[in-house]
Amino acid sequence: IQINDPDRMVREVIETLNTRECEVRDSEGHWHLLRIHPYRSKENRIDGVVITLVDINDLKRNIAKLELASHYGDAIAETIREP
């Protein structure tokens, strides 16, 4: 998985305490949602981050199909002169 400047993203999460998310692709072209959360210890200290990857490949594929169907429907509607 290619992540642009992961060190900067981790530092930003630790400094701001805000979760970061971005969509990334693996070497096979599958989509994942990358989330970086601050890790808070029992003593209420920020001791690092938690990084998760969620498989969103099916979701991305379905969105692409819906967009294609929508464009197709729009193209048909534009060719009809009267409703």
Side-chain angles (χ1 to χ4, degrees):
I1 294 180
Q2 295 288 332
I3 303 170
N4 293 333
D5 203 0
D7 293 337
R8 180 185 55 78
M9 291 175 70
V10 167
R11 281 192 310 272
E12 182 180 313
V13 168
I14 291 172
E15 291 169 2
T16 65
L17 303 180
N18 292 325
T19 298
R20 287 285 313 263
E21 290 186 350
C22 64
E23 295 177 354
V24 295
R25 292 179 99 169
D26 63 20
S27 60
E28 296 175 0
H30 291 90
W31 286 96
H32 303 273
L33 178 64
L34 171 75
R35 287 186 181 139
I36 305 175
H37 302 274
Y39 173 75
R40 192 176 302 273
S41 70
K42 289 181 181 180
E43 294 80 26
N44 206 26
R45 287 192 332 256
I46 302 303
D47 279 346
V49 297
V50 177
I51 299 174
T52 59
L53 286 170
V54 178
D55 183 348
I56 60 169
N57 199 59
D58 289 341
L59 177 64
K60 294 285 278 188
R61 189 176 28 220
N62 289 336
I63 288 171
K65 286 179 184 177
L66 288 172
E67 288 174 349
L68 181 63
S70 176
H71 293 313
Y72 182 72
D74 289 346
I76 289 173
E78 289 176 8
T79 61
I80 299 172
R81 295 180 188 245
E82 293 182 31

